Amino acid sequence: MEEQEYTRRSERPKKRRLRKGRTFFIFLLLCVITVAVYSVVQYRNGFELASGTKVAQEDFTGDAIEGSIENYLLLGIDTRGEEQSRTDTMMLLSWNKDTNDIKLVSFMRDIYADIPGYQSYKLNTAYYLGGVQLLKDTLGNMFGLPIHHYALIDFQNFESLVDILAPNGVEIEVEKDMSEKIGVTLTQGVHRLNGQELLGYARFRQDAEGDFGRVARQQKVIEALKDEILAPQNILHLPKFVGAAQGYVTTDYSSAGEILQVLKMLSKGKITIEKATVPIEGSYNFQNFSHAGSAIVIDIEENKTFLREFLGISLD
């Protein structure tokens, strides 16, 4: 009798541990379900918010991917309700999938370029004449650059995406007072800028640096947005941001493929961005043309050599 009571008493702590373990498991499961439901709802909210605003997808034939480096043509346009637009922002994002390093090359929009099928004109006119494919072919012909994918966003959509990702603004050091022709007034100093202000900062060029200064600011904005995406305080905003990006950003990817690529990049840990601008210093001069106005005439071979070394890829 005493032996049986001892046995029963010795089993009680084990049962309590089992109950505690089961309770913790149920709590953990409920947390996972709550997070999943929240993410799906926020993703759908973002997607619905952006529905009907995307720039139309275009026919695009990317180059075959060889090796571990994948190149994306990033374009920003200001449609203003027009059927045809010029590209205000032209960047090549080069991602090394083995090292997770990212290299970002900005192309000056006033580069005097040989546009296939047309007379030579400023580089940003290629998109106006023939869309993403013609711009891709123009860069490919000039520098031998392989371009595998593209992403295109209208500036109004850019503003909305920034406000979804960072409702409290994106921290930027504004190096001088800015207001002319950007639709906002910015003062010198460190500020948290909303979408409209951040776009204005990135587009400002009414100073001695002109377009070269604007390109540097655009790269600075890309770096700041990367930090916001990875910031812990913005985790709750990411599902809605990703959903809205499906509607605001036009790419040659399917929605699932686009998300998968971003997840692959983020899952590999810390992301560093190394930046450059074409033309490089000392490789260009300004010339006036009757049909194109003032344009940047560049030494193509010198810039091609730079791109080959900077990106670490062979160029045809």
Side-chain angles (χ1 to χ4, degrees), residues 14-67:
K14 185 176 180 181
K15 287 181 179 179
R16 288 196 192 101
R17 286 196 296 272
L18 287 173
R19 289 195 196 101
K20 288 180 180 179
R22 186 164 53 191
T23 301
F24 176 75
F25 175 77
I26 292 172
F27 173 76
L28 185 63
L29 182 61
L30 288 174
C31 287
V32 171
I33 292 173
T34 301
V35 170
V37 170
Y38 172 84
S39 298
V40 170
V41 170
Q42 288 298 303
Y43 174 88
R44 288 179 177 173
N45 286 343
F47 188 81
E48 290 173 6
L49 182 68
S51 62
T53 63
K54 180 187 285 191
V55 178
Q57 194 159 6
E58 303 181 25
D59 292 333
F60 177 81
T61 303
D63 296 310
I65 299 173
E66 297 179 4

Side-chain angles (χ1 to χ4, degrees), residues 105-120:
V105 180
S106 294
F107 294 92
M108 299 293 295
R109 65 180 196 165
D110 288 344
I111 291 173
Y112 195 62
D114 183 10
I115 301 175
Y118 298 88
Q119 68 181 128
S120 296

Side-chain angles (χ1 to χ4, degrees), residues 179-225:
S179 61
E180 191 175 352
K181 296 183 179 180
I182 59 174
V184 294
T185 298
L186 305 176
T187 57
Q188 184 178 9
V190 177
H191 304 284
R192 295 199 73 85
L193 306 183
N194 63 28
Q196 184 182 16
E197 292 167 337
L198 192 65
L199 178 62
Y201 172 80
R203 300 191 70 189
F204 179 76
R205 60 169 178 159
Q206 306 302 316
D207 60 5
E209 294 179 296
D211 270 338
F212 284 91
R214 173 163 65 173
V215 162
R217 281 185 284 276
Q218 289 173 350
Q219 293 180 342
K220 188 175 172 182
V221 165
I222 293 293
E223 182 84 42
L225 288 175

Side-chain angles (χ1 to χ4, degrees), residues 118-302:
Y118 298 88
Q119 68 181 128
S120 296
Y121 218 93
K122 293 179 181 178
L123 182 61
N124 69 335
T125 306
Y127 177 80
Y128 177 86
L129 294 172
V132 175
Q133 187 65 48
L134 184 59
L135 177 56
K136 177 228 179 242
D137 293 342
T138 301
L139 290 171
N141 287 355
M142 288 183 73
F143 304 111
L145 273 172
I147 297 174
H148 309 114
H149 302 286
Y150 83 91
L152 172 69
I153 188 169
D154 174 73
F155 288 140
Q156 187 173 349
N157 293 343
F158 171 84
E159 292 178 14
S160 300
L161 268 182
V162 170
D163 290 336
I164 290 171
L165 173 65
N168 296 321
V170 177
E171 186 173 293
I172 286 285
E173 181 178 359
V174 180
E175 58 270 22
K176 63 186 74 176
D177 292 349
M178 304 176 183
S179 61
E180 191 175 352
K181 296 183 179 180
I182 59 174
V184 294
T185 298
L186 305 176
T187 57
Q188 184 178 9
V190 177
H191 304 284
R192 295 199 73 85
L193 306 183
N194 63 28
Q196 184 182 16
E197 292 167 337
L198 192 65
L199 178 62
Y201 172 80
R203 300 191 70 189
F204 179 76
R205 60 169 178 159
Q206 306 302 316
D207 60 5
E209 294 179 296
D211 270 338
F212 284 91
R214 173 163 65 173
V215 162
R217 281 185 284 276
Q218 289 173 350
Q219 293 180 342
K220 188 175 172 182
V221 165
I222 293 293
E223 182 84 42
L225 288 175
K226 182 263 293 184
D227 292 339
E228 290 293 336
I229 289 173
L230 298 176
Q233 67 267 24
N234 289 328
I235 288 176
L236 292 177
H237 306 140
L238 285 179
K240 188 175 182 180
F241 173 79
V242 172
Q246 303 304 306
Y248 285 140
V249 180
T250 302
T251 78
D252 58 307
Y253 273 115
S254 66
S255 295
E258 184 181 349
I259 294 173
L260 182 61
Q261 286 298 87
V262 173
L263 290 176
K264 282 181 181 178
M265 196 178 296
L266 296 177
S267 67
K268 293 190 177 183
K270 186 177 179 181
I271 300 172
T272 59
I273 300 179
E274 191 175 353
K275 301 177 286 290
T277 300
V278 168
I280 58 174
E281 189 174 352
S283 69
Y284 64 91
N285 61 78
F286 289 92
Q287 294 184 28
N288 285 304
F289 298 89
S290 59
H291 65 290
S294 178
I296 303 172
V297 177
I298 72 172
D299 184 321
I300 292 178
E301 287 305 316
E302 189 174 346

